């Protein structure tokens, strides 16, 4: 249903905002016509799960994948191809 869909979007948005991300859009269902998810607490992301994800292992040098070990950053394909890039020398 639209309320369930909007509720899941709302929880994702609130989770990301709590982690310091910026929302670039206009999605505020709780201000005009509240949906059931407006009363739910925002979920907390698991930092270890994010850092150990395939995305952060492959692109360990990215800001959103920090903090990473120096070894993991240097073993990325990007750093192997372009070792002179500033972020590969941490």
């Amino acid at each position: 249903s639209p309320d369930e869909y909007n509720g899941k979007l709302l929880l994702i948005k609130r989770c990301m905002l709590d982690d310091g991300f910026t929302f670039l859009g206009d999605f505020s269902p709780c201000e005009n016509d509240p949906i059931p998810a407006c009363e739910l607490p925002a979920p907390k992301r698991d930092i270890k799960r994010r850092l150990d994800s395939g995305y952060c292992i492959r692109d360990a040098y990215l800001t959103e994948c920090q903090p990473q070990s120096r070894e993991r950053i240097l073993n990325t394909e990007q750093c192997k191809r372009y070792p002179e890039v500033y972020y590969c020398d941490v």
Side-chain angles (χ1 to χ4, degrees), residues 7 50 80:
R50 175 175 50 92
K80 288 178 183 177

Side-chain angles (χ1 to χ4, degrees), residues 71 73-84 88:
E71 179 184 356
I73 292 173
L74 293 176
N75 283 327
T76 62
E77 288 300 315
Q78 187 75 5
C79 287
K80 288 178 183 177
R81 261 189 251 140
Y82 308 106
E84 69 281 353
C88 292

Side-chain angles (χ1 to χ4, degrees), residues 60-61 66 68-76 79 87 90:
Y61 55 87
Q66 298 308 312
Q68 291 286 355
S69 68
R70 185 173 194 281
E71 179 184 356
R72 187 178 273 182
I73 292 173
L74 293 176
N75 283 327
T76 62
C79 287
Y87 52 74
V90 290

Side-chain angles (χ1 to χ4, degrees), residues 26-44:
D26 185 26
F27 180 71
S28 303
C30 295
E31 292 176 8
N32 300 332
D33 188 19
I35 58 175
C38 292
E39 303 300 321
L40 295 175
K44 299 291 181 194

Side-chain angles (χ1 to χ4, degrees), residues 7-36:
K8 289 181 183 191
L9 287 178
L10 174 67
L11 292 177
I12 291 168
K13 173 187 172 185
R14 288 173 48 204
C15 177
M16 305 254 331
L17 289 173
D18 286 351
D19 277 353
F21 289 88
T22 304
F23 185 74
L24 303 174
D26 185 26
F27 180 71
S28 303
C30 295
E31 292 176 8
N32 300 332
D33 188 19
I35 58 175

